[in-house]
C-alpha cells in the first residue's frame, strides 16, 4: 500500500517509516505543512498519517485539502495533544482515526491496517492467515474452516496479532489496545496472559497450530510454525 | 468582635469614667455654689434685720422670709456671731440639715440673739438627681453611639466590607478578576490597590506555573514517543543477546511508566486549567454500568463480586471528567482488591459510594488524595489516580471522603 507520513520529528518519523516498510508498504515522508499539502494535492495514497502540529501550518488543513482532492484516502491523525477538541475536530473533518503520542508502533500499524481494510474492501473483508480466516466486519473467525467462537476481547486480540504478525508485540501495547486507559486497573500482565492462553487454546482446539510465542518475556509474536 | 463594637465599648467605658469623674466634680462644685448662695442669702437677711432694728428699734416679726426662719431669743450676755451647719427637726419632726446664723441684736435695750436658719438641700437628693441626669445622658449617648456605629459601618466602612467580600470570593482557579471600586478614603484605597496588585501577582504566578507544567508535559510526549518507537523497533531485531533483552525490557517498562505518569500529570494540569468546560447532565447510573462492563474482564479475572445498588442520578458536569472520575475510582477498587474480593456500589441522587475489600492501607488516609501516594504494593501504580479524582471533585465542589471498616475501603462522593 502507498502511505504518506507527514511528521516533523525526524527520529519518530524514522521509526514509523522503518516499521511500515517492513510491512511491505510503499512509504513517503515529508516534514512540513507545505510539502504535505503539496503531496496530497498531487498524488494519490491509500492512507496518510498526519501530525497536527507541523512547521508552517496545522495538519488539520492538510486533512481538508485531502478530503477535497482524494476523499477515498484513509487518514490517521497523529497528535501530541490528547485533547478531545482536536480529536473531534479531526474526526469531523473526515479523518478515520486519531492516535496520541507516545503511541506503540504496533498500535499505529493495527489502526492503519483497519483503515486500509475499511477503505479498500469497503467494509467486507477477509483476513487469512494459515488456517485462520477472519471476516472482520462480521466479527467471525474460522479455524480450519470451522467456526470458532471468541469473546470480543479475544477477537480484538487476534486481530491485533494478525495486524502485527511476525513481529514482537509488547504486553503494554496489547493492554493499551484492548483496554485503553483502563489497562491500568489490571494488577499485572498475568491478566493478558490468561487471555492469550484462552485464545491459544481455542485456536488449537479447533485444529490450528500454536501461533503465539512468548518473546524475551516482553511480549508475544504471532507467526506460523 | 467587630472593630466598631470594640471601639464602641472603649468609648462607652471612657464615657462612664468621664461621667463619674465629671459627676463628682459637678456635685462638689454645685454644692459649693448652693452653699455659698445660701450663706449670702442668710447674710442678706441679717442685714435686713439689722437695718430694721436700727430704724425702728424693735425686732422684726418672727415670720419666715421665703424658707428662712427667723427667731429671736432673749439673752443676758450678747451672743457671738456664728455661722454653722446643724441638724434640726423640721415641721414634720424629721431630722434635716440646716444652716444657721446666730448673731446678737440689741432692741428695746435688751440683748437678743437672732437665729436665721434654712434647711440645706440633702446631698442624697443632689447626688440622686445628678446621677439620674447623667445616666440619662449616658443612655442617650449609648443610643447615639450605636446609631453612629451602624451608620459608620454602613457608609464609612462599606468599601472595606466590600473588599472583604471580594477577598472571600477570591478563587485562584477562577480566571475572572474582580474589580474593586475606587474609594475616597485613602487607607481603603491603598488597601484595595495593594490587594489588586497582590492577587494579580498570585494569579499570574499560578498561571505561569500551570502553563509550565502543561507545556513541559506536552514537550515530553514527543521524545517519549521517539524512545518508545526506537525500543519497539529494537525489539523486532532477531537474536538479541539475553543480557541485553533484560536491559531493553527494563528501559521499555520505565518508558511506559514515564509515559503514563506524564499523561496523568498532563491530565491534572488540564483539569486545573479548566480545559474541560462543557457541562452536561451526566447519567451516573448508566456511566457506572458502562464502566463495570469495560472492567468486566478484570473483575472476572480477580473473581470479584460486584454488588450495585443504584438509583437514577443526573449530575451536571463534564462527561469526560465524569468518565475519568469513575474509571479511576472503580479501577482503584479493582486494582487494590483481593482475589475473591467484593465491590459494593451505592448510588443515590447526589451520593455515590464505592467500597472494596482489600488489605489495610499502608499510608495515612489523610494523605490518600495527595500526589504520588501509593497505597499498595502494586508496582505499576503511579500514585496519581486519586489525586486526579480529588482534583475533579474540587473543580465541581464535590465532597469526597475515604473511610475504612473491616478491611473494606470506601470512597464516597457527595455531589
Amino acid at each position: 500500500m502507498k502511505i504518506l507520513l507527514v511528521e516533523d520529528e525526524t527520529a519518530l518519523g524514522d521509526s514509523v517509516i522503518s516499521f511500515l516498510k517492513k510491512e511491505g508498504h510503499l512509504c513517503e515522508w515529508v516534514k512540513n505543512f507545505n510539502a504535505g499539502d503539496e503531496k496530497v494535492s498531487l498524488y494519490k495514497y491509500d492512507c496518510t498519517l498526519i501530525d497536527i502540529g507541523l512547521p508552517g501550518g496545522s495538519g488539520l488543513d492538510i486533512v481538508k485539502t485531502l478530503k477535497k482532492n482524494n476523499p477515498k484516502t484513509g487518514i490517521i491523525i497523529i497528535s501530541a495533544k490528547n485533547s478531545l477538541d482536536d480529536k473531534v475536530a479531526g474526526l469531523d473533518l473526515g479523518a478515520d482515526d486519531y492516535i496520541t503520542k507516545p503511541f506503540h508502533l504496533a498500535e499505529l500499524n493495527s489502526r492503519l491496517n483497519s483503515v486500509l481494510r475499511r477503505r479498500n474492501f469497503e467494509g467486507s473483508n477477509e483476513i487469512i492467515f494459515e488456517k485462520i480466516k477472519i471476516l472482520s466486519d462480521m466479527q467471525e473467525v474460522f479455524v480450519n474452516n470451522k467456526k470458532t467462537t471468541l469473546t470480543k476481547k479475544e477477537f480484538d486480540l487476534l486481530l491485533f496479532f494478525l495486524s502485527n504478525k511476525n513481529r514482537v508485540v509488547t504486553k503494554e501495547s496489547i493492554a493499551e489496545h484492548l483496554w485503553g486507559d483502563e489497562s491500568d486497573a489490571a494488577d499485572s500482565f498475568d491478566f493478558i496472559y490468561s487471555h492469550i492462553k484462552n485464545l491459544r487454546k481455542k485456536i488449537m482446539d479447533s485444529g490450528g497450530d500454536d501461533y503465539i510465542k512468548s518473546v524475551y518475556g516482553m511480549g508475544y509474536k504471532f507467526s506460523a510454525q | 468582635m467587630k472593630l466598631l463594637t470594640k471601639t464602641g465599648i472603649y468609648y462607652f467605658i471612657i464615657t462612664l469614667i468621664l461621667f463619674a469623674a465629671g459627676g463628682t466634680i459637678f456635685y462638689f462644685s454645685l454644692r459649693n455654689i448652693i452653699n455659698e448662695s445660701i450663706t449670702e442669702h442668710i447674710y442678706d437677711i441679717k442685714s435686713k434685720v439689722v437695718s430694721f432694728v436700727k430704724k425702728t428699734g424693735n425686732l422684726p416679726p418672727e415670720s419666715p422670709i421665703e424658707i428662712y426662719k427667723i427667731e429671736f431669743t432673749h439673752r443676758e450676755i450678747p451672743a457671738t456671731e456664728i455661722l454653722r451647719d446643724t441638724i434640726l427637726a423640721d415641721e414634720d419632726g424629721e431630722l434635716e440639715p440646716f444652716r444657721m446664723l446666730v448673731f446678737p441684736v440689741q432692741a428695746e435695750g435688751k440683748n437678743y440673739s437672732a437665729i436665721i436658719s434654712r434647711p440645706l438641700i440633702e446631698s442624697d437628693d443632689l447626688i440622686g438627681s445628678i446621677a439620674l441626669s447623667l445616666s440619662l445622658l449616658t443612655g442617650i449617648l449609648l443610643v447615639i453611639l450605636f446609631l453612629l456605629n451602624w451608620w459608620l459601618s454602613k457608609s464609612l466602612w462599606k468599601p472595606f466590607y466590600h473588599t472583604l467580600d471580594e477577598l472571600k470570593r477570591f478563587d485562584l482557579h477562577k480566571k475572572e478578576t474582580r474589580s474593586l471600586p475606587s474609594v475616597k478614603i485613602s487607607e481603603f484605597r491603598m488597601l484595595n490597590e495593594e490587594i489588586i496588585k497582590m492577587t494579580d501577582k498570585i494569579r499570574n504566578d499560578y498561571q505561569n506555573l500551570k502553563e509550565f507544567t502543561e507545556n513541559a508535559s506536552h514537550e515530553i510526549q514527543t521524545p517519549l514517543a521517539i524512545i518508545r518507537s526506537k525500543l519497539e523497533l529494537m525489539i523486532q531485531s532477531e537474536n538479541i543477546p539475553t543480557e541485553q533483552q533484560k536491559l531493553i525490557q527494563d528501559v521499555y517498562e520505565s518508558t511506559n511508566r514515564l509515559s503514563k505518569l506524564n499523561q496523568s500529570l498532563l491530565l491534572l494540569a488540564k483539569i486545573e486549567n479548566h480545559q474541560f468546560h462543557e457541562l452536561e447532565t451526566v447519567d451516573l447510573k448508566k456511566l457506572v454500568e458502562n464502566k463495570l462492563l469495560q472492567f468486566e474482564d478484570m473483575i472476572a479475572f480477580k473473581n470479584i463480586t460486584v454488588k450495585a445498588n443504584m438509583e437514577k442520578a443526573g449530575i451536571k458536569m463534564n462527561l469526560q471528567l465524569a468518565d475519568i472520575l469513575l474509571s479511576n475510582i472503580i479501577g482503584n477498587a479493582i486494582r487494590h482488591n483481593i482475589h475473591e474480593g467484593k465491590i459494593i456500589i451505592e448510588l443515590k441522587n447526589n451520593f455515590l459510594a464505592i467500597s472494596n475489600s482489600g488489605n489495610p492501607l499502608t499510608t495515612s488516609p489523610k494523605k490518600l488524595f495527595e500526589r504520588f501516594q501509593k497505597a499498595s504494593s502494586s508496582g505499576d501504580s503511579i500514585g496519581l489516580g486519586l489525586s486526579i479524582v480529588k482534583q475533579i471533585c474540587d473543580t465541581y465542589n464535590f465532597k469526597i471522603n475515604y473511610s475504612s471498616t473491616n478491611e473494606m475501603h470506601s470512597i464516597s462522593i457527595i455531589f
Side-chain angles (χ1 to χ4, degrees), chain B residues 364-378:
Chain B
S364 147
K366 277 181 195 151
K367 288 187 171 171
L368 201 63
F369 295 109
E370 286 177 15
R371 293 179 186 188
F372 304 116
Q373 285 296 325
K374 291 171 203 172
S376 86
S377 49
S378 305

Side-chain angles (χ1 to χ4, degrees), chain A residues 78-134:
Chain A
I78 301 172
S79 168
K81 280 189 197 167
N82 186 10
S83 134
L84 192 68
D85 293 344
D86 274 1
K87 192 170 179 172
V88 169
L91 297 180
D92 274 355
L93 284 176
D96 297 274
D97 212 340
Y98 179 99
I99 194 165
T100 313
K101 288 182 195 172
F103 47 81
H104 294 279
L105 289 174
E107 180 66 31
L108 180 68
N109 190 35
S110 153
R111 296 199 189 192
L112 177 67
N113 282 336
S114 151
V115 169
L116 289 176
R117 271 200 309 272
R118 269 181 288 172
R119 291 279 155 192
N120 289 352
F121 304 99
E122 266 147 17
S124 74
N125 62 83
E126 283 181 0
I127 302 165
I128 295 170
F129 177 84
E130 301 274 306
K131 294 175 183 167
I132 299 173
K133 185 172 83 177
I134 297 179

Side-chain angles (χ1 to χ4, degrees), chain B residues 87-103:
Chain B
I87 292 173
L88 292 171
D90 65 4
E91 292 101 46
D92 308 327
E94 270 176 54
L95 290 175
E96 267 195 65
F98 276 84
R99 171 159 296 182
M100 56 191 240
L101 177 71
V102 183
F103 63 96

Side-chain angles (χ1 to χ4, degrees), chain A residues 7 9-12 14-16 18-19 22 80-85 100-106 153 166-173 176 179 181-192 194-195 215-218 221, chain B residues 218 221-222 224-226 228-230 232-240 245 248-249 252-253 256 259-260 263-264 266 270 275-278 291 294-295 297-298 301-302 320 323 327 330-332 334-337 378 380 382:
Chain A
E7 165 66 65
E9 285 292 334
T10 311
L12 186 64
D14 261 342
S15 302
V16 173
S18 122
F19 194 92
K22 276 186 197 159
K81 280 189 197 167
N82 186 10
S83 134
L84 192 68
D85 293 344
T100 313
K101 288 182 195 172
F103 47 81
H104 294 279
L105 289 174
K153 285 282 183 286
N166 300 320
R167 285 179 186 280
V168 180
V169 179
T170 61
K171 288 181 280 189
E172 284 85 353
S173 62
E176 267 188 47
W179 294 283
D181 291 339
E182 269 77 39
S183 63
D184 286 359
D187 256 341
S188 63
F189 296 115
D190 294 349
F191 172 46
I192 288 166
S194 83
H195 274 278
V215 182
Y216 314 140
M218 287 194 69
K221 194 181 212 172
Chain B
H218 264 312
Q221 298 286 63
T222 306
L224 261 178
I226 294 168
R228 188 189 257 183
S229 66
K230 298 292 170 199
E232 285 179 347
L233 284 179
M234 202 184 235
I235 295 164
Q236 302 307 327
S237 11
E238 310 266 321
N239 310 321
I240 302 174
Q245 286 170 14
I248 294 171
Q249 190 177 348
Y252 186 70
E253 275 165 16
N256 282 320
S259 155
K260 272 180 192 159
Q263 273 164 14
S264 300
L266 193 56
K270 277 185 185 169
Q275 289 182 19
F276 298 93
H277 29 66
E278 295 91 0
K291 279 287 143 205
Q294 279 177 33
F295 282 119
D297 293 313
M298 283 102 172
F301 183 66
K302 279 197 152 183
Q320 225 185 333
D323 191 85
S327 265
I330 298 176
N332 245 11
I334 297 169
R335 190 186 313 126
H336 300 299
N337 220 319
S378 305
D380 46 352
I382 49 170

Side-chain angles (χ1 to χ4, degrees), chain B residues 329 351-354 365 368-369 386 389-390 393 398-404 409-414:
Chain B
I329 300 178
F351 174 83
L352 171 72
I354 296 179
L368 201 63
F369 295 109
L386 281 182
V389 168
K390 177 86 166 64
C393 287
F398 297 159
K399 271 201 188 107
I400 183 158
N401 189 40
Y402 165 82
S403 63
S404 82
H409 305 278
S410 174
I411 300 243
S412 58
I413 300 175
I414 300 168

